[in-house]
Amino acid sequence: PSGERRASSLSITGAGMGTVALLCAFMRYYASGADLPAPRPQSRAGTAGKLRSRPPKVPLIFVLNLTDSERRAVFSTLRKWNTPPRYLPKDVTAETAPQGSGGRIEMYANGGVFLVTSRILVVDVLTPGTVDVRRVKCVLVAHAEGVGEADPTAFILRVYDWGYGRGGVGTNPGDRTTGGFVRAFSEDAKGCSDGFARTDAIMRACRCERLLLYPRSRAEVADVLDGGAGGRPLHVHEFYVVSVF
């Protein structure tokens, strides 16, 4: 429900389990406002007996760390799902929306889902008047295994955390009470566990307080892969590449 605290989370899945499709589902879900309760109709002054509901504001959502091929896959997947055009993401690059033209300011002001690199978004959050982090509903982070404290993505998430008034940088993420949230994803379980307290470091860098694990052995995952929930069973074929040199 609106107003409740939303815990930011890091989700680690088995390799090859379709993080891009998962991100697409979250993009459409949050962009459509399906996670919020239905707005109550409000009476308008001067109009007796007629109730009108205010048009919902389009939320501002950022998606970070996608590769070029993953960006193309996002658009392809959402179109296959017959996603309404207003919920399709916008691909933000230096070519499509140069900083000096004011194009990105107008794009962000209109809301929507934006596929953007960390390098571009760092500039935008630090440039006055370009993007107000308090308007950002959520940030979706792909390839979380590569996010460290010195990474531009981690810096963006710290600014995002601070901008919502959840305490200064370094505040325990578990003390959050208001504002937006983060959804971080990774298919590289080994990369998230290599080294001393690597998972904890990733969660701190991504400002997440919940860890969600979805290995292939998990009952719900295994049921889907085996053809449960009305799906078709998956047939896995192994291929071996033999060098001739």
Side-chain angles (χ1 to χ4, degrees):
S2 180
E4 287 189 4
R5 183 178 73 89
R6 298 192 184 189
S8 295
S9 62
L10 166 64
S11 300
I12 304 176
T13 68
M17 288 180 55
T19 298
V20 171
L22 186 62
L23 282 167
C24 289
F26 273 100
M27 289 180 212
R28 191 169 68 170
Y29 180 68
Y30 289 131
S32 65
D35 58 314
L36 300 175
R40 296 179 179 178
Q42 298 179 357
S43 58
R44 189 171 182 176
T47 306
K50 294 184 179 180
L51 296 179
R52 297 183 181 180
S53 59
R54 295 180 180 178
K57 293 183 179 179
V58 180
L60 186 58
I61 299 167
F62 288 113
V63 186
L64 304 177
N65 293 353
L66 289 176
T67 64
D68 290 341
S69 61
E70 288 172 338
R71 290 180 182 221
R72 292 191 293 270
V74 163
F75 285 102
S76 175
T77 301
L78 289 173
R79 290 191 178 105
K80 286 180 180 178
W81 292 351
N82 295 321
T83 303
R86 65 182 181 277
Y87 298 148
L88 289 175
K90 302 173 183 65
D91 197 3
V92 180
T93 65
E95 291 75 23
T96 59
Q99 171 66 16
S101 67
R104 296 212 292 266
I105 297 177
E106 184 178 352
M107 289 172 61
Y108 296 151
N110 293 330
V113 182
F114 297 91
L115 311 184
V116 59
T117 64
S118 297
R119 294 182 63 181
I120 289 179
L121 194 54
V122 163
V123 175
D124 290 345
V125 298
L126 293 179
T127 303
T130 302
V131 55
D132 183 359
V133 295
R134 292 171 296 180
R135 285 196 58 229
V136 181
K137 180 176 184 177
C138 69
V139 179
L140 305 178
V141 182
H143 301 291
E145 70 278 357
V147 179
E149 286 294 337
D151 190 79
T153 299
F155 176 78
I156 292 169
L157 297 177
R158 285 198 297 272
V159 174
Y160 179 46
D161 199 48
W162 172 82
Y164 260 112
R166 293 179 282 195
V169 174
T171 301
N172 183 1
D175 295 336
R176 297 171 173 173
T177 55
T178 61
F181 53 96
V182 178
R183 294 284 181 263
F185 303 89
S186 175
E187 289 187 5
D188 188 358
K190 189 174 186 299
C192 290
S193 58
D194 276 349
F196 178 74
R198 176 59 184 157
T199 304
D200 180 69
I202 294 172
M203 293 182 68
R204 287 180 179 274
C206 292
R207 312 299 289 174
C208 295
E209 62 260 34
R210 294 184 63 190
L211 176 62
L212 306 175
L213 302 177
Y214 293 95
R216 293 176 180 271
S217 58
R218 185 163 173 165
E220 304 97 310
V221 176
D223 182 60
V224 173
L225 296 180
D226 291 339
R232 295 181 178 179
L234 300 181
H235 300 282
V236 180
H237 301 275
E238 293 188 22
F239 293 89
Y240 298 90
V241 178
V242 180
S243 176
V244 296
F245 298 101

